[in-house]
């Protein structure tokens, strides 16, 4: 189901979203939700945290893109214990009951050639996120009074089975993409997608803001390693991690949930789109509240870069170096991979028109993200772009939401 925005809604949208140019607002595309067939969900046991059916938004391709597919994982964090998962199950992050039933397709999902020249006429699908483990868990919790489904892996499979008869089974080209927790899901499912498609189909993967570092926080604690480890254990993710990766990390196979440990085992071509100062990682991996609770020295810096002290900027530059170091083997040795690592303070850049492709979009070596991804996917030239350090890039807006 596709809904085009009305004139009244257009006025409301412009009022509520003043960052949109008039040209962009005229091309808003609202796509309705399709629920996974009940029969498919029952066979696979594919349910959201609260037991509701999973859903996706599908806009059919046309013209030269009619046989090509773009699948976009939705992001939205994780839940790593029973309380956080119970809470999540009562929100749009854990239940389709609370989700918006129409979604705006913009950026890489846009159907306008001038705003998305490479993928505008492909079949484009947004896979809604309702499990809390990057579409990778496979377990269930039931103590007789409360029931939680940790079925992200089954949700992924059910959505694919739903889309195969709609044309995915005959795909000639495919791009698996995703943002944030959805970007992490790209690393986890990149090779798996090929198993459902024709042997001669071209399958590539784009992770946006999904390269979460296995890094210590400012208090020298493994905060994110602990969180991710709890997600893997609680939701039964380990069985769905790459076996070559887990066998190489026998002392702690859960670490394969981190992209930097899993990336070298992925066979399909991967494009890593990330900022070197990812805002989510800045706030939750490098400076989580637990590490700055007493002094609150980072309170203002976290939401306004201009207030950061020289020492804090040095810490951020060290984090950038840690990310580049983790990506260096991929940069050096991958002949099919691509990269766009800019120095903006942002999180997720492919779904927003302003950062994907616009007159003032972030650029590295004069290239926009959309241009870099296009050059990589269609193999026009090598596309591995790494920005200089903050504050060198004037195309970065560096607006951090409170």
């Amino acid at each position: 189901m596709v809904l085009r925005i009305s004139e009244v809604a257009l006025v409301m949208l412009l009022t509520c979203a003043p960052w949109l140019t008039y040209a962009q607002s005229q091309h808003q595309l609202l796509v309705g939700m399709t629920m996974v067939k009940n029969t498919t969900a029952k066979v696979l046991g594919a349910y959201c945290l609260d037991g509701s059916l999973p859903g996706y938004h599908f806009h059919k391709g046309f013209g030269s893109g009619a046989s090509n597919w773009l699948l976009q994982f939705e992001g939205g964090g994780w839940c790593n214990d029973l309380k956080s998962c119970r809470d999540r199950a009562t929100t749009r992050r854990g239940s389709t009951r609370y989700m918006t039933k129409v979604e705006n397709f913009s950026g890489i999902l846009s159907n306008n050639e001038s705003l998305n020249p490479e993928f505008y006429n492909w079949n484009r699908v947004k896979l809604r996120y309702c499990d809390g483990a990057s579409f990778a868990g496979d377990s269930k919790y039931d103590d007789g009074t409360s029931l939680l489904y940790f079925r992200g892996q089954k949700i992924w499979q059910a959505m694919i089975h739903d889309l195969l008869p709609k044309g995915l089974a005959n795909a000639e080209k495919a791009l698996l993409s995703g943002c944030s927790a959805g970007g992490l899901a790209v690393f986890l499912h990149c090779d798996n997608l090929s198993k459902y498609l024709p042997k001669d189909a071209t399958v590539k993967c784009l992770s946006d803001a999904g390269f979460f570092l296995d890094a210590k926080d400012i208090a020298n604690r493994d905060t994110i390693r602990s969180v991710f480890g709890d997600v893997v254990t609680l939701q039964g993710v380990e069985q769905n991690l790459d076996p070559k990766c887990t066998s190489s990390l026998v002392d702690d196979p859960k670490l394969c949930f981190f992209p930097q440990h899993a990336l070298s085992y992925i066979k399909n071509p991967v494009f890593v789109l990330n900022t070197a100062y990812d805002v989510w990682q800045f706030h939750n991996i490098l400076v989580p509240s637990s590490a700055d609770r007493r002094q609150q020295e980072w309170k203002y810096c976290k939401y306004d870069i201009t207030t950061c002290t020289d020492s804090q900027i040095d810490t951020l530059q060290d984090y950038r170096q840690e990310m580049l170091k983790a990506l260096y083997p991929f940069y050096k040795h991958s002949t099919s991979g691509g990269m766009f690592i800019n120095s903006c303070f942002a999180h997720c850049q492919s779904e927003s028109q302003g950062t994907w492709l616009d007159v003032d979009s972030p650029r590295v070596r004069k290239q926009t993200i959309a241009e870099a991804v296009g050059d990589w996917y269609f193999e026009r030239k090598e596309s591995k772009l790494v920005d200089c350090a903050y504050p060198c890039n004037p195309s970065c807006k560096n607006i951090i939401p409170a």
Side-chain angles (χ1 to χ4, degrees), residues 198-387:
K199 290 184 178 180
D200 59 349
T202 299
V203 180
K204 300 187 179 185
C205 304
L206 163 64
S207 173
D208 178 7
F211 196 82
F212 295 94
L213 278 185
D214 178 15
K216 293 183 181 295
D217 63 27
I218 57 171
N220 202 36
R221 299 169 183 159
D222 289 310
T223 299
I224 191 62
R225 183 179 285 195
S226 176
V227 171
F228 276 9
D230 290 343
V231 171
V232 171
T233 299
L234 176 68
Q235 300 211 31
V237 174
E238 187 174 330
Q239 61 189 312
N240 297 317
L241 298 175
D242 190 302
K244 291 182 179 179
C245 180
T246 56
S247 63
S248 71
L249 295 171
V250 290
D251 290 337
D252 195 354
K254 296 189 292 295
L255 292 180
C256 291
F257 196 63
F258 284 96
Q260 71 196 75
H261 300 302
L263 181 55
S264 63
Y265 299 98
I266 299 174
K267 296 177 182 178
N268 285 328
V270 176
F271 191 100
V272 179
L273 166 60
N274 237 92
T275 78
Y277 311 94
D278 182 274
V279 173
W280 193 94
Q281 297 197 44
F282 173 15
H283 290 193
N284 297 278
I285 297 180
L286 180 61
V287 192
S289 57
S290 60
D292 191 42
R293 183 174 297 159
R294 181 176 298 177
Q295 300 296 331
Q296 292 192 318
E297 294 173 351
W298 288 79
K299 179 179 179 180
Y300 297 105
C301 174
K302 287 172 73 170
Y303 296 101
D304 184 352
I305 302 306
T306 63
T307 68
C308 297
T309 66
D310 290 345
S311 176
Q312 288 169 334
I313 292 295
D314 287 344
T315 299
L316 290 168
Q317 301 295 23
D318 288 343
Y319 193 80
R320 170 181 178 269
Q321 286 299 322
E322 193 164 358
M323 175 167 285
L324 296 182
K325 181 180 179 181
L327 281 166
Y328 183 75
F330 177 73
Y331 177 86
K332 182 74 172 177
H333 301 296
S334 175
T335 57
S336 63
M339 293 171 59
F340 190 100
I341 310 297
N342 59 7
S343 293
C344 305
F345 284 82
H347 183 64
C348 291
Q349 301 178 89
S350 63
E351 296 176 337
S352 168
Q353 196 61 55
T355 46
W356 174 247
L357 180 62
D358 206 349
V359 292
D360 61 349
S361 294
R363 285 168 166 77
V364 176
R365 297 182 209 164
K366 299 182 179 181
Q367 274 201 298
T368 64
I369 294 168
E371 290 166 344
V373 172
D375 283 346
W376 162 76
Y377 190 93
F378 295 102
E379 301 175 7
R380 292 189 283 257
K381 63 178 182 180
E382 184 181 65
S383 187
K384 291 179 178 177
L385 305 177
V386 179
D387 207 353

Side-chain angles (χ1 to χ4, degrees), residues 5-26:
I5 196 163
S6 68
E7 291 298 318
V8 174
L10 175 60
V11 173
M12 293 177 65
L13 182 63
L14 285 170
T15 302
C16 298
W19 61 86
L20 292 172
T21 65
Y22 179 72
Q24 289 174 10
S25 64
Q26 281 192 311

